Amino acid sequence: MFEGFSRRLRRRAYDLAVRMGVSKYHRLWDQPAEDWDRDYASGELDFYGSFREQGRYSVLVGFVHAFPRKPRVLDLGSGVGVLRARIPDAAIAGYVGIDPSAVAVDLGSKQKFPMSAFQVGDRPTPDTGAFDIIILNEMIYYVEDVEGLLDHLEGYLADDGWIVSSMFQHPGDVALRRTLAERLTEFESLTISRESPRKAWRLACYAKKPAAIPSAVVEDHPLEPSLGVATH
């Protein structure tokens, strides 16, 4: 019991230090690909597709619908394709899911989603082409060099493209959001919270800097009506 309390106390102190800028953010979870393979194969991660996760997936799909044209989507950390299964085929021009787990990629590929491909890896490569939307869905806290990843992704994002992130509130999340805001232009964000068990997620949409957000986003494709989810 004391060990658990001590660990929570250290996490709390770390969180406060990062929020105040006294300490630099560092990755809290380092999970190798073989661990992901084991967890996907055993079904331990099936809860990713559960009803309790539906709210944030609805928001992510809403951002896809809100893009001014049918987007080509990169889902980084795609897993077995839980997000892809929720995106209507007619809403996109193409989809690529990348995940470090070969087991997850195999399971995603077997679903044979139209206009979609799954690849093993941790970032796009020249053969994947460029994207209109890059989605970082609950994966950025597993990245050791977040700034390096963002630098890499910028080369694969269309000039008027969006980066969409979803992350749950945890020690250090403010620092991650700060890094995203420093390198990109945030133009929409919202928080989804759940009472039992208590958990909250922050979802945000970013454009390249400097960037003028297309008027179509506000006038013809308003984000809020498209999201189809209420926060509470």
Side-chain angles (χ1 to χ4, degrees):
M1 181 181 296
F2 177 77
E3 182 180 350
F5 174 77
S6 177
R7 184 170 58 251
R8 290 194 298 271
L9 187 62
R10 290 196 301 271
R11 282 286 179 90
R12 180 58 177 165
Y14 162 76
D15 190 26
L16 291 173
V18 171
R19 287 173 184 267
M20 295 170 61
V22 176
S23 177
K24 185 177 180 180
Y25 176 85
H26 63 84
R27 179 174 57 177
L28 294 177
W29 297 281
D30 181 11
Q31 185 157 329
E34 52 267 28
D35 287 355
W36 288 111
D37 285 343
R38 181 198 62 230
D39 292 345
Y40 277 114
S42 68
E44 185 174 337
L45 301 179
D46 288 353
F47 74 90
Y48 285 163
S50 69
F51 176 78
R52 288 183 176 276
E53 303 290 318
Q54 182 63 35
R56 65 182 178 82
Y57 278 109
S58 297
V59 175
L60 294 173
V61 174
F63 282 128
V64 172
H65 280 296
F67 198 75
R69 59 180 179 273
K70 287 186 179 182
R72 190 164 186 265
V73 176
L74 170 62
D75 184 5
L76 198 57
S78 59
V80 301
V82 172
L83 175 60
R84 177 60 184 92
R86 287 160 170 72
I87 301 175
D89 298 339
I92 56 174
Y95 169 97
V96 175
I98 297 178
D99 197 275
S101 169
V103 171
V105 166
D106 181 59
L107 291 171
S109 299
K110 286 180 177 178
Q111 298 184 71
K112 299 186 182 301
F113 297 112
M115 301 175 293
S116 302
F118 289 84
Q119 302 176 6
V120 178
D122 59 4
R123 58 185 60 194
T125 54
D127 60 302
T128 59
F131 298 91
D132 300 301
I133 298 179
I134 297 176
I135 297 177
L136 310 177
N137 180 21
E138 304 299 307
M139 56 74 64
I140 198 168
Y141 17 75
Y142 295 103
V143 177
E144 182 175 9
D145 180 10
V146 174
E147 294 185 354
L149 175 65
L150 295 176
D151 286 341
H152 183 81
L153 293 179
E154 188 171 353
Y156 291 86
L157 184 65
D159 289 341
D160 61 344
W162 300 347
I163 289 182
V164 176
S165 72
S166 170
M167 68 179 80
F168 74 90
Q169 292 181 353
H170 68 287
D173 67 330
V174 171
L176 287 174
R177 298 203 303 265
R178 187 185 304 132
T179 299
L180 287 165
E182 287 172 351
R183 292 179 167 264
L184 302 162
T185 299
E186 180 183 304
F187 63 91
E188 178 68 306
S189 66
L190 69 161
T191 298
I192 297 177
S193 62
R194 185 176 69 199
E195 292 300 320
S196 180
R198 183 175 294 278
K199 193 172 184 179
W201 298 264
R202 186 173 186 273
L203 296 98
C205 195
Y206 304 85
K208 286 184 177 181
K209 277 188 174 181
I213 307 307
S215 59
V217 172
V218 177
E219 298 170 2
D220 299 329
H221 300 269
L223 287 173
E224 292 181 0
S226 301
L227 297 180
V229 59
T231 58
H232 57 278

